[in-house]
Amino acid sequence: MAAYRPLHIPTSEITPREIYMSRRSFLGTAAAGLMLAGSGSALAAPLTASPSAFKVDEPLTPKEAVTTYNNFYEFGVNKEDPSQNAGAFKPTPWSVKVEGMVGKPKEFGLDELMKMQLEERTYRLRCVEGWSMVIPWIGFPLSALLDQVEPLGSAKYVAFETVVRPEEMPGQSGFFQPLPWPYIEGLRLDEARHPLTILAVGLYGETLPNQNGAPIRLVVPWKYGFKSIKSIVKISLVEKQPETTWKNANAREYGFYSNVNPAVDHPRWSQATEQRIGEGGFFGAARRPTLPFNGYADEVASLYSGMDLKANY
């Protein structure tokens, strides 16, 4: 089922995002995953992870939906494009460089990242477009990585950058592309260090499929999904608020904070409700009320005490 999308958008308000999203069609078939033993393999490798107290007591979204209904513009702009076009992507070898305002900058190889204390955490995922999922991620707290590089007292934010490989990621090639590359994102340092914020290396007991951000991605469950940047190659500790891809594309519609907030609508559609993919049929979707901070208010609302969440959207 195609995701919720408001109709009758005034031409003057159409952004590059809408030009591409207007091409959405229906779900495609499952495609490539990741096997650490072989670059670009179509098979996923099983992962062992400890159970975590961080979970929600809600039905999981079917794995097929999670792996075929994606936004990952580096592979295309339709929901089925990432699963259909990610087979040529090579998630190994891989490394993540952590630098900036840190005492011990370091480049982490994938083998080292996979040896972190992995946990399975079942989180809600809420897309800014108005649909949601429940996904069993496997990963580790971002704070565990940051501790190893010793952030300086002057560091206030964390900036993230994804890979640029137009030869493997067709959405990055061609005359007209939907976004400038690389995709960039950012968090405040206290958000990045929050226990809920993880770097995910797998889902459903296996390594991440290419289309879901292999081999390593960010997951920040109380924010809209576009904040959870995929296929990360660089993390930088910085003093000033970093630029982010969608804020640069349209600051009126996509703010830096992007906390899930049913009381703050997108300028062109309501955020009061959402479609839960997988309910009401295998790929059906039932509408439900959107929860403040995506249901994680008890854990994270204190991070924004005293802030105007309509101004800081």
Side-chain angles (χ1 to χ4, degrees):
M1 174 173 184
Y4 168 79
R5 178 177 183 271
L7 302 178
H8 310 298
I9 300 172
T11 302
S12 62
E13 295 185 2
I14 293 178
T15 66
R17 177 185 180 87
E18 289 301 329
I19 293 172
Y20 275 81
M21 287 174 64
S22 66
R23 296 174 48 216
R24 269 190 210 144
S25 59
F26 292 94
L27 294 171
T29 58
L34 154 69
M35 176 171 283
L36 296 179
S39 300
S41 171
L43 299 177
L47 284 178
T48 300
S50 302
S52 172
F54 294 100
K55 58 185 178 181
V56 295
D57 187 19
E58 298 179 29
L60 300 179
T61 301
K63 180 181 177 182
E64 187 176 355
V66 172
T67 56
T68 63
Y69 195 76
N70 311 99
N71 285 325
F72 199 172
Y73 281 23
E74 286 85 341
F75 293 112
V77 298
N78 297 315
K79 288 292 184 289
E80 72 274 15
D81 285 348
S83 63
Q84 293 181 348
N85 297 335
F89 182 68
K90 297 178 175 62
T92 60
W94 196 272
S95 63
V96 178
K97 185 179 294 184
V98 187
E99 59 184 21
M101 294 178 169
V102 298
K104 296 181 178 179
K106 182 176 179 180
E107 188 164 357
F108 293 84
L110 184 56
D111 287 345
E112 185 175 4
L113 294 170
M114 299 298 289
K115 291 177 182 177
M116 300 286 283
Q117 185 62 48
L118 300 181
E119 301 177 5
E120 182 172 75
R121 298 188 176 192
T122 302
Y123 283 163
R124 302 179 191 91
L125 171 71
R126 173 59 155 81
C127 181
V128 72
E129 297 166 9
W131 55 267
S132 64
M133 295 181 173
V134 177
I135 302 174
W137 302 103
I138 293 176
F140 57 90
L142 173 58
S143 61
L145 191 74
L146 297 179
D147 287 344
Q148 294 192 39
V149 298
E150 299 181 0
L152 303 179
S154 52
K156 306 299 181 186
Y157 294 88
V158 183
F160 304 86
E161 184 175 311
T162 197
V163 71
V164 177
R165 292 185 189 169
E167 68 281 4
E168 299 174 17
M169 306 173 98
Q172 293 179 335
S173 63
F175 180 74
F176 182 68
Q177 297 166 34
L179 295 169
W181 310 114
Y183 193 97
I184 53 175
E185 257 303 337
L187 297 171
R188 263 182 4 204
L189 183 57
D190 59 345
E191 296 176 318
R193 296 190 66 89
H194 192 278
L196 286 173
T197 304
I198 64 171
L199 290 172
V201 295
L203 53 76
Y204 274 98
E206 298 177 329
T207 50
L208 284 174
N210 290 350
Q211 63 267 29
N212 291 94
I216 187 166
R217 62 170 290 167
L218 184 69
V219 179
V220 191
W222 71 91
K223 293 180 179 287
Y224 291 119
F226 66 85
K227 295 292 290 185
S228 293
I229 185 172
K230 304 176 179 76
S231 301
I232 297 169
V233 292
K234 188 166 72 171
I235 299 174
S236 303
L237 281 291
V238 296
E239 184 177 8
K240 297 181 179 180
Q241 180 176 299
E243 294 188 354
T244 61
T245 289
W246 282 112
K247 186 174 185 293
N248 286 347
N250 190 332
R252 175 174 171 266
E253 299 188 355
Y254 308 101
F256 175 80
Y257 284 94
S258 299
N259 292 318
V260 177
N261 191 342
V264 177
D265 290 335
H266 186 281
R268 289 175 286 117
W269 60 81
S270 170
Q271 296 289 19
T273 63
E274 64 197 54
Q275 291 178 338
R276 176 62 55 83
I277 302 300
E279 293 186 355
F282 189 66
F283 281 133
R287 298 205 70 81
R288 59 172 60 210
T290 296
L291 301 174
F293 297 104
N294 204 25
Y296 298 96
D298 288 347
E299 292 88 351
V300 304
S302 62
L303 295 176
Y304 312 100
S305 178
M307 291 181 62
D308 182 345
L309 297 182
K310 290 189 175 181
N312 297 282
Y313 56 93

